[in-house]
């Protein structure tokens, strides 16, 4: 590893750099490469660009987060939701609520306690313990939005770390509620004994009618659903949830609208590329893992071709 003191040309290796750092010296690293590929993710890639002096006003903007809401259902059957695969099914009925591909999808949530029990409505310690005793009979669902509206990420004023400015818009909040209502109807018809929406101002619903005699138009259930449909997941009153970070170094053919071009090369540079979820032009409809692998493959093949 090269160091600033005593000489930048001195190659010290890891042990030498550690010794210098412990002695109070600053360790300076120089990396020379024909191509540099940045893959620090949707929150940190834009910060690296800003710290490097790039001035493109799109850097850090267009932040998509896949906000979501949840509902849990208790069944008579011992379902053991933590066993088997996760996200094994989905409902796409509400995925296009504006005619432009923005809406919500219903997906089963991971039933690891750390990820699902935190969304149970809190009504005191005794109620939470009672809910925990029913955990093996409980399943949870997410209503995850392909968010239409965006936020931004920028360096914090104190430590320079990633600071997020994002408020789920009224449209995206309605999309999430629409999915929660859909999940509630599914669970009710399937025989759930209790429905626990993580929605402020909406109480849990206890189902007493035998499953074979149920309809979504049942008076008590329909009244409860109507109250749920009127709910608003305002950030000041609900637990904010999000799944993925995308779009903060948006890919575009126009430098005025993006940070990288179609090849992943950063506008205004000669050899700098980005390959991560920050280059998404908009939020993906599904979990972005396969999409980001495909984009990385596209960018990598382009770089390889340009280098002969």
């Amino acid at each position: 590893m090269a160091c600033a003191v005593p000489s930048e040309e001195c190659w010290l290796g890891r042990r030498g750099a550690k010794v210098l750092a412990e002695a109070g010296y600053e360790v300076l690293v120089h990396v020379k490469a024909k191509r540099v590929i940045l893959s620090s993710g949707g929150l940190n890639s834009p910060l690296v660009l800003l710290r490097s002096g790039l001035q493109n006003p799109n850097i850090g903007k267009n932040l998509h987060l896949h906000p979501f809401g949840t509902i849990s259902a208790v069944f008579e059957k011992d379902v053991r939701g933590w066993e088997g695969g996760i996200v094994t099914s989905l409902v796409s009925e509400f995925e296009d609520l504006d005619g432009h591909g923005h809406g919500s999808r219903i997906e089963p949530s991971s039933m690891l306690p750390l990820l699902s029990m935190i969304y149970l409505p809190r009504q005191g310690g005794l109620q939470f313990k009672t809910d925990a005793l029913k955990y093996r009979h409980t399943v949870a669902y997410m209503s995850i939005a392909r968010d239409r509206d965006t936020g931004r990420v920028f360096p914090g004023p104190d430590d320079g770390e990633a600071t997020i400015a994002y408020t789920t818009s009224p449209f995206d909040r309605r999309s999430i509620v629409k999915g929660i209502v859909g999940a509630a109807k599914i669970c009710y018809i399937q025989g759930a004994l209790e429905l626990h929406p993580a929605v402020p101002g909406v109480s849990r619903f206890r189902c007493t009618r035998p499953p074979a005699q149920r309809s979504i138009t049942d008076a008590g259930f329909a009244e409860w659903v109507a109250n749920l449909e009127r709910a608003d997941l305002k950030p000041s009153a609900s637990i904010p949830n999000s799944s993925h970070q995308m779009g903060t170094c948006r890919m575009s053919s126009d430098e005025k609208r993006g940070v990288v071009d179609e090849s992943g090369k950063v506008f205004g540079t000669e050899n700098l590329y980005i390959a991560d979820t920050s280059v998404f032009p908009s939020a993906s409809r599904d979990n972005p893992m396969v999409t980001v692998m495909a984009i990385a493959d596209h960018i990598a093949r382009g770089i390889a071709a340009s280098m002969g």
Side-chain angles (χ1 to χ4, degrees):
M1 182 176 290
C3 59
V5 180
S7 169
E8 289 189 9
E9 290 75 29
C10 178
W11 179 262
L12 300 171
R14 293 183 179 180
R15 177 172 174 77
K18 180 179 179 181
V19 171
L20 282 177
E22 291 175 348
Y25 291 101
E26 291 186 359
V27 179
L28 182 64
V29 178
H30 289 273
V31 177
K32 294 183 178 181
K34 294 181 179 179
R35 301 288 189 276
V36 176
I37 303 172
L38 174 61
S39 299
S40 294
L43 297 183
N44 287 300
S45 283
L47 268 61
V48 173
L49 297 184
L50 293 172
R51 292 176 187 138
S52 301
L54 276 74
Q55 301 295 319
N56 188 322
N58 294 300
I59 296 173
K61 294 182 179 179
N62 310 302
L63 173 64
H64 293 274
L65 291 177
H66 277 168
F68 69 91
T70 65
I71 183 170
S72 300
V74 179
F75 290 83
E76 182 178 4
K77 182 180 178 181
D78 186 354
V79 295
R80 295 174 172 262
W82 59 86
E83 295 182 352
I86 62 172
V87 194
T88 53
S89 58
L90 65 86
V91 176
S92 58
E93 182 176 347
F94 313 112
E95 68 182 12
D96 186 8
L97 298 178
D98 66 349
H100 298 284
H102 300 102
S104 63
R105 282 186 165 186
I106 304 170
E107 300 179 358
S109 175
S110 168
M111 286 302 292
L112 295 176
L114 174 64
L115 300 177
S116 57
M117 291 189 73
I118 59 174
Y119 300 117
L120 289 173
R122 299 301 175 93
Q123 297 173 327
L126 179 59
Q127 181 63 61
F128 183 78
K129 291 177 182 178
T130 303
D131 291 337
L133 290 173
K134 303 172 185 175
Y135 192 67
R136 64 192 299 145
H137 299 269
T138 302
V139 294
Y141 293 92
M142 299 185 297
S143 171
I144 181 169
R146 180 180 183 236
D147 38 340
R148 182 188 70 181
D149 303 307
T150 64
R152 66 188 181 101
V153 60
F154 58 93
D158 297 324
D159 56 10
E161 294 299 314
T163 302
I164 297 172
Y166 183 100
T167 300
T168 310
S169 71
F171 171 84
D172 291 324
R173 296 201 300 268
R174 288 193 297 272
S175 297
I176 294 170
V177 171
K178 191 80 172 178
I180 293 175
V181 170
K185 292 178 179 179
I186 292 172
C187 293
Y188 179 71
I189 294 299
Q190 288 294 316
L193 303 177
E194 299 177 20
L195 300 173
H196 303 166
V199 177
V202 180
S203 62
R204 63 183 66 204
F205 183 79
R206 289 180 171 83
C207 316
T208 57
R209 189 185 297 265
Q213 300 176 16
R214 293 184 186 183
S215 166
I216 59 173
T217 60
D218 293 342
F221 179 69
E223 181 180 355
W224 179 82
V225 166
N227 185 40
L228 178 58
E229 289 175 329
R230 290 190 294 268
D232 186 357
L233 297 173
K234 292 183 178 179
S236 60
S238 61
I239 301 175
N241 307 302
S242 67
S243 302
H244 314 108
Q245 305 85 42
M246 303 159 281
T248 50
C249 296
R250 184 165 63 181
M251 182 180 289
S252 175
S253 60
D254 184 356
E255 185 174 358
K256 295 180 180 179
R257 303 187 67 249
V259 178
V260 304
D261 64 18
E262 298 98 319
S263 68
K265 186 165 74 71
V266 177
F267 288 118
T269 69
E270 294 299 325
N271 65 347
L272 176 60
Y273 294 78
I274 301 178
D276 58 29
T277 58
S278 72
V279 305
F280 282 22
S282 63
S284 59
R285 188 183 298 281
D286 296 301
N287 293 6
M289 285 71 79
V290 174
T291 305
V292 74
M293 286 191 288
I295 288 178
D297 181 74
H298 162 74
I299 293 172
R301 290 176 183 272
I303 293 172
S306 71
M307 296 177 70

